[in-house]
Amino acid sequence: MRPMGVLLILLVLCTVHAKLSCAELAILSSLESPEFKQGRAIDALGEVVFVAGSGVTAVNVSKHRDLEVADTLHDAALQHCEAIYAYASTWGHTRLAVACADSLVILDAQVPANLKIVGAITAPDMLGGAMSVVVKDQLAFVASSRLDRVVSISLLDETKPEVLSYLQLSSATSVALLHEENKLLVGSGGRASRVTVISYAPSGVFMKVGSVKDSRLSGPISRVHDVPNSELSIALSSAQGGTFVMLNTSAGIRPNIKYALHSEGRYNSDVADGRATSWSPNGHKELGAAAGLCIARNGLAYVAASNIGAVCGVDISSEGFRPNIVRALFNQHLEGVVDICVSEGEAMSRMLMLRNDRATMLTQSVKFYALNPRLGSIIVLIDSHETNLVDDVVMPNSKWEF
């Protein structure tokens, strides 16, 4: 390669790093509601945030400094909900797939102020301990931790969801779509300590492709997420106080761990702005009790650390380099956060990332939401290069102090 070409690449990398380093995480506002006290999961679509727990609540976030509960739906089928997935159906309708105890419930959220149950399936012998759900076209996939399996469910008739098939996987806790056609990523914590790649047919029948077992994937928390337009995927676990793992899931039958950041790790913390390095020279305390994970279009993965009250941004934009924690926000009102999501929601965010090029991604500001049952609140956060967006913070009807 010519010297001028090498110089140009280095200049681009330095520019990207500078842009990532100068951005800032900040809290914009919050909304408190008794409904959030039982909240376990959060997702978004359009200008609405959805919270699942003991029922499902829709929140209008079109005015990020004036959030408003639009509707709450309670039903016998919507008890002990652990996961929610907001998506547009193949008919273009806004739908919610909610994994609750022994059930999968499909909600109509086309009118957020009037949530309605479209259909549901309750099957203790098939969906017992449902912990995670994703939807692709007319198929839903549910991870059942108590029964150690991943289940495929047909949504061809939304009013009557139907179990198609299942694959036995010990301690299956989370499931995510892979950008490769007809493939899923399954996280298994606890005794299994494994991430598995599986494929599925349009009929819902599964086939195991490959898996990786590693102590860094152990613990009660196990979340997985693909990185669109990349050979890499992400896993979040409770190992070593909280671990962020990047895996090569394109390696056929042998997915493997490429990088890992630990809360109790043995190599130096490397935070670009230097503010978080004082926590420990030998670990990433920003990952302590890591509980929530989402990926944004700016090339960062965001992790919520529940016990220490932190949200950090991990740069995953350079495939050939170790992921790097480039910013962190510590705030007592983040203590107890159990889940986070980007403002577009998981389904829409994946679609937009698949369409966008990396140069565009790295220049975008990001807004996202955190669910804190301990305080019974939803917290709006922003990661922006525009300082006027983070300096002019208004907290209406809030008891927070800064």
Side-chain angles (χ1 to χ4, degrees):
M1 184 179 291
R2 294 182 180 179
M4 185 62 69
V6 174
L7 182 61
L8 181 60
I9 292 175
L10 290 175
L11 180 61
V12 170
L13 289 174
C14 290
T15 302
V16 167
H17 180 75
K19 287 184 177 181
L20 286 170
S21 300
C22 71
E24 184 175 354
L25 271 171
I27 293 175
L28 286 179
S29 61
S30 72
L31 174 68
E32 297 179 1
S33 170
E35 298 294 341
F36 304 150
K37 289 281 188 178
Q38 304 298 321
R40 295 292 301 156
I42 188 171
D43 202 0
L45 194 62
E47 296 184 330
V48 184
V49 167
F50 303 98
V51 175
S54 179
V56 173
T57 298
V59 180
N60 184 344
V61 293
S62 57
K63 299 178 181 178
H64 60 253
R65 293 189 174 112
D66 189 18
L67 311 186
E68 181 182 13
V69 172
D71 189 24
T72 297
L73 178 63
H74 293 285
D75 190 89
L78 293 172
Q79 297 296 315
H80 308 291
C81 301
E82 292 288 342
I84 186 167
Y85 189 82
Y87 65 100
S89 71
T90 53
W91 297 279
H93 304 306
T94 301
R95 294 288 189 258
L96 306 177
V98 190
C100 306
D102 305 325
S103 305
L104 174 67
V105 186
I106 305 300
L107 271 63
D108 177 2
Q110 190 70 25
V111 180
N114 186 25
L115 298 175
K116 295 182 292 187
I117 292 179
V118 176
I121 178 172
T122 299
D125 60 339
M126 190 62 66
L127 298 174
M131 294 289 292
S132 178
V133 60
V134 292
V135 175
K136 180 67 180 295
D137 299 327
Q138 295 176 345
L139 291 174
F141 303 98
V142 178
S144 170
S145 62
R146 193 170 73 228
L147 298 178
D148 300 323
R149 61 183 55 172
V150 176
V151 183
S152 61
I153 298 174
S154 171
L155 301 180
L156 185 61
D157 182 353
E158 293 181 306
T159 65
K160 297 178 180 179
E162 179 184 4
V163 170
L164 297 175
S165 183
Y166 70 91
L167 178 68
Q168 211 70 29
L169 289 173
S170 296
S171 302
T173 306
S174 62
V175 60
L177 299 172
L178 273 177
H179 61 276
E180 294 182 65
E181 193 68 21
N182 294 351
K183 286 188 178 179
L184 300 172
L185 194 65
V186 182
S188 301
R191 66 187 184 279
S193 307
R194 188 182 297 273
V195 169
T196 305
V197 178
I198 61 178
S199 63
Y200 63 90
S203 62
V205 175
F206 294 114
M207 179 178 292
K208 184 176 176 181
V209 177
S211 68
V212 54
K213 183 178 177 65
D214 193 288
S215 62
R216 289 170 289 184
L217 300 171
S218 64
I221 299 294
S222 177
R223 293 181 180 250
V224 290
H225 204 300
D226 78 325
V227 182
N229 295 323
S230 170
E231 295 182 347
L232 303 178
S233 297
I234 294 173
L236 192 67
S237 78
S238 306
Q240 299 188 37
T243 299
F244 179 93
V245 177
M246 295 201 72
L247 309 102
N248 181 356
T249 49
S250 66
I253 62 174
R254 293 189 177 182
N256 56 84
I257 292 178
K258 292 197 67 174
Y259 309 109
L261 304 178
H262 313 284
S263 176
E264 301 170 355
R266 293 186 177 181
Y267 60 87
N268 290 344
S269 178
D270 182 17
V271 179
D273 59 14
R275 288 179 295 178
T277 54
S278 61
W279 279 74
S280 171
N282 296 311
H284 301 269
K285 295 303 180 184
E286 310 92 318
L287 298 174
L293 171 68
C294 66
I295 296 180
R297 288 185 289 159
N298 60 354
L300 299 188
Y302 293 93
V303 178
S306 177
N307 287 0
I308 63 171
V311 170
C312 65
V314 185
D315 179 14
I316 57 172
S317 60
S318 301
E319 291 191 16
F321 297 89
R322 182 182 297 275
N324 183 32
I325 298 177
V326 292
R327 37 202 173 273
L329 173 66
F330 296 89
N331 190 292
Q332 62 179 328
H333 302 288
L334 295 173
E335 294 178 11
V337 168
V338 297
D339 199 11
I340 56 177
C341 73
V342 289
S343 59
E344 303 91 351
E346 181 178 344
M348 181 61 69
S349 177
R350 287 186 76 258
M351 184 181 72
L352 293 173
M353 290 176 68
L354 286 168
R355 292 178 179 177
N356 283 5
D357 60 84
R358 288 187 175 271
T360 302
M361 289 167 55
L362 294 172
T363 62
Q364 294 173 337
S365 298
V366 171
K367 185 170 66 176
F368 54 104
Y369 309 102
L371 172 63
N372 190 337
R374 186 181 300 177
L375 298 179
S377 65
I378 288 177
I379 303 164
V380 184
L381 300 101
I382 192 167
D383 189 351
S384 175
H385 304 288
E386 303 295 333
T387 54
N388 64 306
L389 290 179
V390 296
D391 290 340
D392 182 23
V393 177
V394 179
M395 303 293 290
N397 302 320
S398 174
K399 301 175 183 178
W400 295 13
E401 297 179 0
F402 290 85

